[in-house]
Amino acid sequence: MELTLKETKFLTILNETRIADGKLMEGYSRKVKEVFTYTNPELNAAIKKFKGNGLLSELDLGANEVMYFFTDKVSKDMLDKELVKVKN
């Protein structure tokens, strides 16, 4: 699957990541935005695409919170090397 540069960045930040009400948690969002800017609609569109293509699995945490995990389809060469260093 071909990813755009921005999609590569989104995919990178979404492993083991909690989303509440369609947004990254505040502290992690701040760290990510130091590396690249995005909007919440862009983030949610990327999540929808990745789930549809089998790149992310979802764990419902309740109260409008979900956690996303990479599937076996995601390889290291699909990830942004700079964002891999940003810990959530």
Side-chain angles (χ1 to χ4, degrees), residues 70-82:
F70 291 161
T71 67
D72 292 341
K73 291 184 177 184
V74 177
S75 61
K76 285 186 178 186
D77 63 324
M78 297 171 74
L79 305 177
D80 181 282
K81 290 169 185 28
E82 185 177 354

Side-chain angles (χ1 to χ4, degrees), residues 1-2 5-6 8 16-17 22 25-26 29 33 36-38 42 49 51 56 58 63-64 68 71 79 84-85:
M1 176 182 168
E2 290 293 318
L5 182 59
K6 199 158 210 174
T8 299
E16 299 180 7
T17 300
M25 304 307 286
E26 188 175 323
S29 177
K33 286 185 175 181
F36 87 105
T37 58
Y38 67 90
E42 288 175 314
K49 179 178 181 175
K51 284 177 47 184
L56 289 179
E58 178 181 286
N64 294 322
Y68 293 99
T71 67
L79 305 177
V84 167
K85 298 173 189 172

Side-chain angles (χ1 to χ4, degrees), residues 11-54:
L11 182 61
T12 304
I13 66 170
L14 285 169
N15 191 39
E16 299 180 7
T17 300
R18 213 166 98 195
I19 305 286
D21 296 319
K23 301 175 187 172
L24 287 177
M25 304 307 286
E26 188 175 323
Y28 185 49
S29 177
R30 193 176 19 235
K31 291 177 190 178
V32 168
K33 286 185 175 181
E34 290 175 5
V35 181
F36 87 105
T37 58
Y38 67 90
T39 64
N40 288 321
E42 288 175 314
L43 173 67
N44 290 302
I47 290 170
K48 184 177 180 179
K49 179 178 181 175
F50 298 147
K51 284 177 47 184
N53 287 305

